Amino acid sequence: MKKLSIYFLAISLLFLAVPLTQALPFQLYQADNIWNVPIDTLPVDAKSSTYITNGLPNSFLYIAGGITPINVVTSAQPKQYLTSIEYPEFSDNIPYPIPDNPKIEDSGGDHHFLIYESDTNLLYEMYQPVQARDGTWSAYDAQRYDLSSYALRDEPYPSVTASGLPMTPGLITYEEIERGSINHSMLLWLYNTRDTHVWPARANGNWNNPSYPPFGQRFRLKASFDTTGYSPVAKTILEGLKKYGAMVSDNSGDTQAWVISADADPRWKDDGSDGQNLFNEMKNVHGSDFEAVDVSSLMINKDSGQARIPSLITPIPTPTPTLTPKPTTTPTPAPTQAPTPSLTVTSPNGGESWKRSTSHTIGWSYSGSPGSKVNIVLMKRGTNVGTIASNVPIGSSGKGSYIWKIPSNRQTGTDYKITVQSTSQPAVKDTSNNYFTIRY
C-alpha cells in the first residue's frame, strides 16, 4: 500500500524547492464534479463520531507542501510508451507525454509523476516511475484521466493513490494560496482506513474494521473552528477545508497526523514569515476539529463524478396535516414493492488460506429474486482468471453454496477473491470483501 512517512517529510521535504513549468488552472474537472462541489451545507455523516474517534482525534493537521511537482505540457510534447508496467491490470497502456528533465516527487519511498496536458485537459499520473539509461521509462502503474469527462475508473482498482482516485485534482497549489481561496476538495491521507470504499473512490482501504473511515469518505473542518489569528496562508487552507473539505484518498505512514497534500511550488518555504510557522500553526488543528460528511445526496450515478449542486437540491416539504373524511369503502391496499435482488459472498471473504488439491465451500447469501442460477468466477487482483462453475443452483432460504476442489496446478498467491453473479441478471453480483490465499 502506498504510504508516507510524516517525520521524514517534515524534516527534509516540507519546503523543498521544485519549480512548476507552468501554472495549473485553479480548478480541474467540471464545476459540478464531486471534487469541486461545496459540502459545507450537507449533513454530518451518521458515523462521524465513530470515524473521528478511531481516526486518531488527537493527531494534528499536516500540510505536505513542497513535495509533489506537477509537470505542465501541451499536446506538442512527444509521447512514449512505458517499457514495462508492474500492475497492467489497473494501468493504461498508452503513450505518455514525458517532458525532458521532468520533476518527480521523491519522498524517500513514494515517487509520484504527474503530467497535465493543458490544451487537451488530459491528466497523466504514474507511481514509482524509473528512467532507464537509454531514456525509456517504466512504472508500477500509470493512468490517464480525461478531465472533461465525468467517468470514474473501473472498480476495484487502485491508481497512483490507493483509493483509485487521481492525485492532481486534490492538491493545493500555491496559486490558490495567493488568490486566497481553494475551491475544490483536498486530498486526505489517514493512517486508519477501512477495507471498503464509498463514492467516488474505486478501491478499498486497509483494515477490516467498520469503525475506520473508508476511502472516498469526505471530511470537513467544523464551521465553529475559529480561524482568527491564523496567517493568511493557514487561513486560506482552513476556510477551504470548511467549505470543500477533504477526501480520504490514501494511507499515511504515521499515527500523528492528518495529511493534506500540496504541490511543489518553491513559495511554500516563503509564506510571509519563515515558512516553518505554517507547520507550527497546523499543529493546533486536530482530527477532533473535523466531522465526516454524508455526500450521498450528491451522487447521480456511482460510476460518474458528476454531482448535484447542494443549493439546487430541493428538500421534501413536510405536508400539512388535513382532516380526511372517513372513506365509505375499504381502500385497495398499495401493491407491495418487491425487494431489490442482491447477492453477497460469505466465503471466502478474506483471510482464508486454501491448499491446492483440497475441497472448500464457496458460500453466498441472497435476497429478493436474483434468478435461479449463478456463475462463480475466480478473481486475482481484480482480474477474471477463470470460471469455477456455471449455472450453479442459487440455493434455498436465502443461502447457497458450491464445493470447489482447487486444481493442483492453480497458481498460488495471496490476492484471490471470488465473484458470484446471477446468470439471468448479470448486474446482480458480489465479490469477496478481501483477498484469500491459495497455497501449495
Side-chain angles (χ1 to χ4, degrees):
M1 197 58 72
K2 300 163 185 178
K3 295 186 180 249
L4 177 68
S5 174
I6 301 305
Y7 289 129
F8 181 85
L9 289 171
I11 293 170
S12 62
L13 288 174
L14 178 59
F15 304 107
L16 178 67
V18 181
L20 285 167
T21 55
Q22 301 176 37
L24 281 177
F26 288 135
Q27 190 181 69
L28 299 176
Y29 279 123
Q30 311 88 339
D32 60 345
N33 192 288
I34 183 59
W35 282 95
N36 300 329
V37 173
I39 47 94
D40 53 327
T41 61
L42 294 182
V44 175
D45 192 285
K47 297 193 70 174
S48 179
S49 59
T50 299
Y51 290 157
I52 297 296
T53 299
N54 292 277
L56 308 171
N58 297 322
S59 298
F60 63 89
L61 183 62
Y62 177 81
I63 308 301
I67 296 169
T68 310
I70 306 168
N71 298 270
V72 183
V73 301
T74 70
S75 57
Q77 174 65 46
K79 295 179 173 64
Q80 59 178 287
Y81 282 89
L82 303 181
T83 57
S84 67
I85 300 176
E86 184 77 14
Y87 296 107
E89 63 269 28
F90 47 85
S91 297
D92 295 326
N93 185 23
I94 56 171
Y96 290 79
I98 301 176
D100 297 332
N101 302 313
K103 305 300 181 182
I104 302 175
E105 172 201 352
D106 183 0
S107 67
D110 283 355
H111 305 282
H112 294 104
F113 188 180
L114 312 178
I115 305 170
Y116 176 65
E117 197 170 79
S118 58
D119 56 335
T120 61
N121 204 30
L122 295 175
L123 173 65
Y124 300 82
E125 298 188 342
M126 293 178 234
Y127 180 61
Q128 304 296 51
V130 175
Q131 185 178 27
R133 290 184 178 181
D134 62 1
T136 59
W137 288 82
S138 61
Y140 271 38
D141 59 78
Q143 297 86 31
R144 179 180 66 187
Y145 300 88
D146 181 354
L147 301 182
S148 299
S149 169
Y150 293 103
L152 300 176
R153 295 190 65 80
D154 291 340
E155 295 178 288
Y157 299 135
S159 56
V160 299
T161 69
S163 62
L165 294 169
M167 187 174 190
T168 308
L171 292 175
I172 305 171
T173 67
Y174 207 88
E175 279 76 16
E176 293 173 306
I177 297 298
E178 283 196 319
R179 184 183 58 173
S181 64
I182 299 170
N183 297 335
H184 58 80
S185 174
M186 302 173 214
L187 292 170
L188 176 60
W189 298 345
L190 294 179
Y191 185 79
N192 291 332
T193 57
R194 185 183 175 186
D195 58 352
T196 187
H197 63 279
V198 296
W199 178 76
R202 311 302 282 171
N204 297 340
N206 272 354
W207 311 104
N208 183 17
N209 188 331
S211 297
Y212 293 164
F215 278 153
Q217 178 64 53
R218 200 78 162 258
F219 286 89
R220 70 183 170 215
L221 189 64
K222 293 177 180 177
S224 60
F225 187 91
D226 187 3
T227 60
T228 304
Y230 282 87
S231 70
V233 173
K235 190 169 184 178
T236 296
I237 296 171
L238 296 176
E239 292 298 330
L241 285 170
K242 286 185 179 183
K243 187 170 184 178
Y244 291 90
M247 203 181 303
V248 182
S249 305
D250 216 324
N251 300 290
S252 72
D254 198 285
T255 61
Q256 296 191 30
W258 286 44
V259 183
I260 301 290
S261 301
D263 69 4
D265 194 291
R267 289 168 292 181
W268 283 108
K269 67 176 183 178
D270 183 14
D271 64 358
S273 58
D274 63 357
Q276 187 64 22
N277 283 350
L278 180 63
F279 178 76
N280 290 333
E281 283 184 286
M282 294 303 182
K283 289 184 73 172
N284 296 317
V285 185
H286 300 93
S288 57
D289 295 315
F290 287 81
E291 58 193 5
V293 184
D294 181 357
V295 303
S296 59
S297 63
L298 306 185
M299 186 176 71
I300 298 172
N301 184 310
K302 72 178 186 67
D303 296 318
S304 169
Q306 187 175 20
R308 298 182 178 91
I309 306 298
S311 61
L312 301 181
I313 298 176
T314 303
I316 299 174
T318 303
T320 303
T322 57
L323 295 176
T324 304
K326 185 176 180 180
T328 56
T329 59
T330 303
T332 302
T336 302
Q337 185 175 2
T340 302
S342 68
L343 281 167
T344 303
V345 175
T346 57
S347 176
N349 207 29
E352 296 88 349
S353 180
W354 290 357
K355 187 177 180 181
R356 295 194 308 189
S357 300
T358 61
S359 297
H360 297 273
T361 300
I362 297 172
W364 59 88
S365 61
Y366 64 92
S367 62
S369 300
S372 61
K373 294 182 180 181
V374 296
N375 294 332
I376 304 173
V377 177
L378 182 63
M379 310 291 289
K380 184 174 175 64
R381 292 196 64 82
T383 299
N384 181 337
V385 294
T387 298
I388 293 174
S390 300
N391 296 313
V392 177
I394 195 169
S396 61
S397 301
K399 293 183 179 180
S401 63
Y402 177 81
I403 304 299
W404 177 40
K405 184 174 182 179
I406 303 175
S408 60
N409 61 349
R410 168 53 59 190
Q411 180 183 358
T412 59
T414 61
D415 51 1
Y416 282 102
K417 291 185 179 182
I418 293 292
T419 293
V420 177
Q421 182 177 34
S422 167
T423 57
S424 60
Q425 302 176 63
V428 181
K429 61 181 179 179
D430 187 51
T431 301
S432 309
N433 287 338
N434 298 288
Y435 293 122
F436 71 95
T437 297
I438 295 179
R439 60 186 175 85
Y440 289 107

